[in-house]
Amino acid sequence: DEGLRFIFDGLHRGNRELNCLISIRVKEQPHDPDSPSETVVARKRINLFSVSGCKEIALLIAQRLNRDKQLVTTMFEAAAARTDEFFQSGEPMAFLEDITPAGEKPYVVERVLETGECTGIFAAGDSGKTWMAMAVQLSLAYGVEFIPGLKPLNEHRGLFLDWETNRDTWAYRARLLLAGRNIKDSKLSALAYKRMHAPLAEAVDEIQGLRDANKFDFFVFDSGGAACGGLISDEPAVLGFFNAIRLIGGTSLHTTHVPHSDADRPIGSQYWHSQPRATWKVIKDEEQGDNEIFVSLKHMKHNNQKQQPLMSYRITFSPSAVAFQQASPA
């Protein structure tokens, strides 16, 4: 209404409160579906059961946009009530006879990436997980095994969302990986990159627009800790990150870290392990001064599939190319 959009993110109920992070966006032309929007309030924590808190937000919006205070208050309270109702009731009830079984989950990349699901890889720093995530993006764009044994079953257009480095680093690494497979730049339009600053939950509108305009159906989020926009142990922030992934849709792969190299779960909230449908740990072995590292992918969580065996690789680095080769787990 009136070009305003209320985004309730990271909903969390407890102690007679319904806490969330509220963001408000406004369109330049309220009735034009293609009109761009801008953020008026970004991820302000609020208790939706607090009358004074809701009125404070409504007053802030009215003042910033020079809108009628009572109208904005009524709109905000209605949106908050709908959000509370949706959060409490969930999706409509369904009977089994009305649900067509989807069968076994198909893969986008054999053994590792399930179609339409969120997969996580975690490891200590400098373990090669970003190289692996980029290799998967390239595999899907070109329909080629950049990582031996991880076969892309179809070609997919992917978007790499980066909170850690920059586009020059990504492009440099991508060209090294292409050189490692002796692939010419014939499909660079299928490879896309976006440097991020704000939490993923704040960028859902924009990413959905890019998805629809460019037909992206695969996304890499590197890395989850920075993308969640809060402490890695802050459950509302972490849940907000995974809610944003679901709103964006498609098949996704995100990276995150571990508290120590021997840990079998990601650092921070338990939701880093429980929310993805599958998680993989990257284990690295490296000798100082070598131009190669050995990594293993260990299947840690497998909601929709059987546990996969350990997969090990040798990654060689040269000034002109980076390549993956199979290696013995020993």
Side-chain angles (χ1 to χ4, degrees):
D1 294 322
E2 303 298 325
L4 287 175
R5 183 174 187 183
F6 305 105
I7 303 169
F8 301 90
D9 174 43
L11 290 155
H12 182 72
R13 194 189 300 277
N15 298 325
R16 299 182 181 179
E17 295 181 350
L18 180 56
N19 295 298
C20 71
L21 298 170
I22 176 71
S23 299
I24 294 99
R25 299 181 66 85
V26 61
K27 283 189 173 185
E28 295 177 2
Q29 303 294 329
H31 304 296
D32 179 2
D34 298 322
S35 174
S37 61
E38 63 175 347
T39 300
V40 181
V41 174
R43 294 175 66 82
K44 183 177 177 62
R45 192 173 294 280
I46 185 175
N47 170 22
L48 294 184
F49 290 169
S50 169
V51 175
S52 61
C54 291
K55 286 185 176 180
E56 179 185 345
I57 288 288
L59 178 60
L60 178 63
I61 302 167
Q63 290 175 339
R64 290 187 178 180
L65 298 179
N66 194 25
R67 301 283 186 94
D68 179 78
K69 176 185 173 182
Q70 187 57 49
L71 174 62
V72 173
T73 300
T74 301
M75 291 168 60
F76 184 82
E77 289 178 346
R82 287 180 59 190
T83 300
D84 176 35
E85 181 180 356
F86 178 82
F87 183 76
Q88 181 169 321
S89 64
E91 295 187 2
M93 181 185 71
F95 291 100
L96 180 58
E97 65 178 352
D98 300 323
I99 304 171
T100 301
E104 186 176 349
K105 279 284 183 180
Y107 286 96
V108 169
V109 173
E110 278 188 344
R111 299 191 288 174
V112 173
L113 281 183
E114 299 172 33
T115 302
E117 295 287 11
C118 170
T119 299
I121 57 175
F122 61 92
D126 194 30
S127 294
K129 56 185 180 296
T130 297
W131 282 104
M132 301 192 84
M134 289 188 64
V136 169
Q137 183 190 16
L138 292 167
S139 293
L140 290 172
Y142 286 86
V144 173
E145 286 185 26
F146 277 74
I147 303 176
L150 302 190
K151 180 182 178 181
L153 300 182
N154 296 103
E155 293 183 10
H156 294 264
R157 294 175 64 85
L159 174 60
F160 194 104
L161 296 156
D162 183 13
W163 282 260
E164 295 203 344
T165 57
N166 55 68
R167 69 178 192 173
D168 290 339
T169 299
W170 174 83
Y172 173 71
R173 291 179 171 183
R175 292 183 188 279
L176 289 177
L177 287 165
L178 288 169
R181 293 288 288 140
N182 196 28
I183 294 176
K184 306 302 181 183
D185 299 348
S186 60
K187 293 185 179 178
L188 294 190
S189 62
L191 299 165
Y193 171 93
K194 182 173 174 57
R195 174 75 169 109
M196 300 295 293
H197 300 286
L200 179 64
E202 291 183 27
V204 168
D205 282 357
E206 182 183 7
I207 303 305
Q208 287 175 330
L210 293 173
R211 175 201 65 196
D212 296 341
N214 297 279
K215 295 181 170 50
F216 294 133
D217 54 4
F218 173 66
F219 302 89
V220 175
F221 306 104
D222 187 28
S223 66
C228 76
L231 297 174
I232 53 176
S233 57
D234 181 11
E235 293 185 350
V238 176
L239 286 173
F241 169 71
F242 286 106
N243 286 337
I245 288 178
R246 281 189 285 272
L247 289 170
I248 293 168
T251 303
S252 67
L253 178 66
H254 69 272
T255 66
T256 188
H257 298 85
V258 292
H260 53 82
S261 59
D262 294 330
D264 284 336
R265 287 197 176 191
I267 191 172
S269 167
Q270 64 172 334
Y271 288 119
W272 290 113
H273 184 71
S274 64
Q275 285 294 299
R277 297 302 84 195
T279 61
W280 296 79
K281 180 181 179 181
V282 180
I283 306 167
K284 182 185 76 167
D285 184 27
E286 178 183 17
E287 293 293 334
Q288 189 171 0
D290 283 354
N291 64 348
E292 63 184 16
I293 63 173
F294 292 88
V295 297
S296 288
L297 276 175
K298 183 178 182 182
H299 202 186
M300 304 304 300
K301 181 187 177 185
H302 35 92
N303 275 23
N304 300 326
Q305 55 179 288
K306 65 181 181 181
Q307 186 171 16
Q308 300 294 333
L310 197 69
M311 295 179 281
S312 299
Y313 304 98
R314 175 178 180 243
I315 310 177
T316 56
F317 299 86
S318 76
S320 59
V322 172
F324 285 77
Q325 296 173 311
Q326 284 188 320
S328 166

